[in-house]
Amino acid sequence: MKYLLPLWLLLFVSLPLAAWAEEDAELERVLAGLKVSAAGIETLASDFTQEKHLEIFRETLVSQGRFYFARPDKLRWETTAPVASGFLLNGSGGKRWHQRAGAPVPFDLGREPGMKLIAEQLLAWARVDLDWLRSQYELALVETQPVSLRLVPRQVGARDFLDHLLIRFDDGGRHVASVAVHEPGGDRTLIRFSATVLNQPLDPALF
């Protein structure tokens, strides 16, 4: 029996390691497929619906709008209802607006960390920039068809306001179909993209 015990211990240790290795291999396979599928996307235009679920009030705040992206670093995020607001980005600078604030206000990402963070996230989703996402989050595979990923912040400080993200791709893995933002206190925001059009000319005035 004294020889059997180490064998059983070795078996129980090696089985989880083998399962983890298999999960890692599957994740790498899926990520490689996403890179290939999204590589040819030059422009994107999409409607979106954003649902903000507030745990303390037990209510859902809904807004709607449009999202535009042109490679490499142009994007426009505008809410059309219930209030018109948003921002556009062209390189390192852009403008933001709100219907109650008057004329659009210019900004520079180098001087506004908050806008820089938002822009980086949206650009990463639009470009399916998995290398950037992996530098910021620990990725885990939730589903393979359609692909769904769970992202947990790597930086401890970021976990104070973000528990995790759930990102689901379209059936072809070419673009993001939805993003769920889960906060530590139970609040969550769900953004669904619809009527997405890829690689069509976009009006330069959008940016």
Side-chain angles (χ1 to χ4, degrees), residues 135-164:
S135 73
Q136 303 296 315
Y137 303 96
E138 297 176 5
L139 273 59
L141 184 61
V142 179
E143 295 180 14
T144 57
Q145 189 57 38
V147 175
S148 180
L149 301 174
R150 187 176 192 271
L151 285 66
V152 177
R154 292 186 180 275
Q155 298 181 5
V156 176
R159 298 174 190 171
D160 293 337
F161 57 88
L162 175 62
D163 185 77
H164 69 277

Side-chain angles (χ1 to χ4, degrees), residues 69-112:
F69 162 75
R71 195 177 290 274
D73 53 12
K74 296 179 182 180
L75 60 84
R76 182 185 184 98
W77 181 275
E78 59 179 346
T79 300
T80 55
V83 177
S85 64
F87 73 94
L88 64 84
L89 178 71
N90 191 334
S92 62
K95 297 178 182 179
R96 58 173 169 247
W97 61 89
H98 193 286
Q99 70 178 42
R100 300 193 185 107
V105 178
F107 65 84
D108 187 317
L109 293 184
R111 298 179 181 179
E112 299 199 27

Side-chain angles (χ1 to χ4, degrees), residues 155-194:
Q155 298 181 5
V156 176
R159 298 174 190 171
D160 293 337
F161 57 88
L162 175 62
D163 185 77
H164 69 277
L165 299 172
L166 288 176
I167 298 181
R168 184 175 64 82
F169 292 83
D170 76 307
D171 290 340
R174 304 188 72 191
H175 62 84
V176 172
S178 68
V179 177
V181 182
H182 291 259
E183 301 175 28
D187 291 350
R188 66 189 188 279
T189 301
L190 175 60
I191 304 171
R192 293 190 180 96
F193 298 96
S194 60

Side-chain angles (χ1 to χ4, degrees), residues 50-68:
Q50 178 173 294
E51 300 175 3
K52 178 72 174 179
H53 301 265
L54 301 174
E55 188 70 18
I56 190 172
F57 296 118
R58 299 291 181 181
E59 64 176 324
T60 301
L61 305 178
V62 180
S63 58
Q64 297 174 324
R66 289 283 290 170
F67 174 57
Y68 302 91

